[in-house]
Amino acid sequence: EIVLTQSPATLSLSPGERATLSCRASQSVSSYLAWYQQKPGQAPRLLIYDASNRATGIPASFSGSGSGTDFTLTITSLEPEDVAVYYCQQRRNWPLTFGGGTKVEIK
Amino acid sequence: QVQLVQSGAEVKKPGASVKVSCEASGYTFTDFYMHWVRQAPGQGLEWMGRINPNNGGTNYAQKFQGRVTMTRDTSISTAYMELSGLRSDDTAVYYCARKSSYSDNWFDPWGQGTLVTVSS
């Protein structure tokens, strides 16, 4: 099973700051990585697929990068509505697995 | 628009079974795999398995093999997930999530979730 490790566990930033979230895989997942956003009390929403492609309707302030074992989700300018837990997920191998999540807070 | 609407919250006793439904609308039900993902209180996401609504074929995570059964009824565009032998650590929100339109095994959109509480 591919283990995805996300860091940091919690990120506390001021509005307008840049947020950088990390996801590291226990073995290569090529570019088969996605990011999801889960706001409090809501279901997750797909943000980024295949490492760097934004899903429909996702603002350009969200971007993804990386390949192999190291991936990054960047929010270029944090807004209050970006408060959420962000999860990475791989589809390289069965079973499909998720990272433990990074909670993004506003200072 | 594509929408997945799940059944309501359930309270079950240990050892019982639960069956959660997921009604799809806004697209051709048989064209997209349906996945099931669960989330224990305050915890992360865990993939359980998927069903091909076209032929009923399933793939289950090994952790749930023997306890989970995924089915579908194409006449009413509804997928089901049944989990048996419930334990307290099965208490979780269970989500259905459709295969995305981009490529296999990304999830988009998701249902609203169904809370299953296992308690004696």
Side-chain angles (χ1 to χ4, degrees):
Chain A
E1 172 173 322
I2 294 177
V3 175
L4 299 178
T5 302
Q6 291 188 239
S7 62
T10 303
L11 194 55
S12 186
L13 296 169
S14 299
E17 285 195 298
R18 183 185 191 92
T20 302
L21 288 66
S22 173
C23 177
R24 178 163 291 177
S26 60
Q27 64 189 82
S28 176
V29 299
S30 186
S31 293
Y32 298 132
L33 190 105
W35 292 92
Y36 297 85
Q37 176 193 62
Q38 185 176 33
K39 295 183 178 181
Q42 296 186 14
R45 175 175 71 148
L46 179 66
L47 294 177
I48 302 287
Y49 65 95
D50 294 344
S52 61
N53 297 292
R54 271 190 304 277
T56 301
I58 302 303
S61 57
F62 290 89
S63 64
S65 63
S67 66
T69 60
D70 290 300
F71 299 86
T72 300
L73 175 70
T74 301
I75 310 172
T76 52
S77 180
L78 195 66
E79 299 186 4
E81 58 263 33
D82 299 330
V83 167
V85 180
Y86 293 84
Y87 294 96
C88 56
Q89 178 235 326
Q90 66 82 25
R91 69 175 183 96
R92 177 63 180 85
N93 280 358
W94 300 102
L96 308 179
T97 52
F98 292 87
T102 291
K103 184 176 184 179
V104 174
E105 300 176 336
I106 295 285
K107 269 186 192 173
Chain B
Q1 77 283 16
V2 176
Q3 197 170 9
L4 304 176
V5 178
Q6 299 185 221
S7 49
E10 303 261 15
V11 179
K12 295 291 182 181
K13 294 194 181 304
S17 297
V18 69
K19 190 171 185 177
V20 179
S21 67
C22 173
E23 182 179 0
S25 61
Y27 71 98
T28 303
F29 179 66
T30 50
D31 282 353
F32 294 83
Y33 278 87
M34 192 71 78
H35 297 256
W36 290 89
V37 177
R38 76 177 186 179
Q39 185 171 37
Q43 301 301 308
L45 301 165
E46 182 175 34
W47 179 77
M48 300 179 68
R50 69 174 186 173
I51 183 168
N52 181 344
N54 188 46
N55 59 19
T58 55
N59 301 99
Y60 300 140
Q62 188 168 5
K63 173 177 179 175
F64 299 101
Q65 286 274 5
R67 282 209 305 145
V68 71
T69 304
M70 295 178 187
T71 57
R72 90 289 189 220
D73 184 337
T74 57
S75 69
I76 55 171
S77 298
T78 299
Y80 302 92
M81 187 284 301
E82 184 171 20
L83 189 62
S84 62
L86 289 170
R87 308 182 289 253
S88 57
D89 62 357
D90 290 318
T91 293
V93 175
Y94 289 77
Y95 293 101
C96 59
R98 199 198 73 172
K99 167 196 167 303
S100 80
S101 56
Y102 309 113
S103 49
D104 281 345
N105 299 326
W106 303 137
F107 313 128
D108 179 48
W110 297 57
Q112 85 275 18
T114 296
L115 176 61
V116 175
T117 302
V118 183
S119 174
S120 55

